[in-house]
Amino acid sequence: MSDDNKKQLFALMAAAEEQQKNIDQTLAIINKQQAEIESLHKYLPELAQSLFKESLNDARTSIESDLNNHATKTAEELKKASSGAMRAADAIKQETKALDWKHAFMTVGAILGACLLVILGSMFFIPSLDDIAERRATIAELDNQGGNLDIQRCNGELCARVMTKECNYGPSKDYCVLDLKD
């Protein structure tokens, strides 16, 4: 072998040895890190549980504090409302004592007046028994004469079915032939 080849061979061997050392150092670092990771894996459940307990305790403390604050505010508001209700009850008692016979007379008078208005209104808008009997008699008379009419209410007025093509009868030409029920 020539000297140049020997030099190159020695250089390659030196480079290979250096790379082998680097690989060994890297493997050592990897093994060390893996050991540290395994160590962390052992403590990870305990660490997670500890963190969970701490956060749960913090949340519980915060919630209890908020509830206490709200309970205190609610109790104060209830006290205010209670005192307001007591004042209102006292005011009602005083107003009740102040109500004399004049107020009672006015109230009874207003109620009687309203009842009287209802009675008078029903007298004018509800037909009497005589009116009902007269209407029934008219209907019976029409039935006896063969006038079985189709009668309805049209906008509050009494309407009968007629044949509009057979109109213009009578002296004023305002009568039409009736369209009787079948």
Side-chain angles (χ1 to χ4, degrees), residues 134-147:
E134 183 181 330
R135 290 176 188 178
R136 286 183 181 165
T138 303
I139 291 172
E141 183 180 333
L142 285 171
D143 283 342
N144 289 338
Q145 293 178 6

Side-chain angles (χ1 to χ4, degrees), residues 163-180:
M163 292 185 206
T164 58
K165 294 181 181 177
E166 295 186 31
C167 286
N168 296 324
Y169 292 101
S172 59
K173 305 280 186 192
D174 60 350
Y175 286 93
C176 296
V177 176
L178 293 174
D179 186 8
L180 300 176

Side-chain angles (χ1 to χ4, degrees), residues 94-129:
Q94 289 176 355
E95 288 297 322
T96 304
K97 288 178 184 176
L99 184 66
D100 57 358
W101 67 272
K102 292 178 186 177
H103 292 100
F105 180 74
M106 289 172 40
T107 304
V108 170
I111 292 171
L112 288 176
C115 290
L116 184 63
L117 284 175
V118 169
I119 291 171
L120 287 175
S122 66
M123 287 176 59
F124 288 114
F125 294 110
I126 296 175
S128 68
L129 293 176

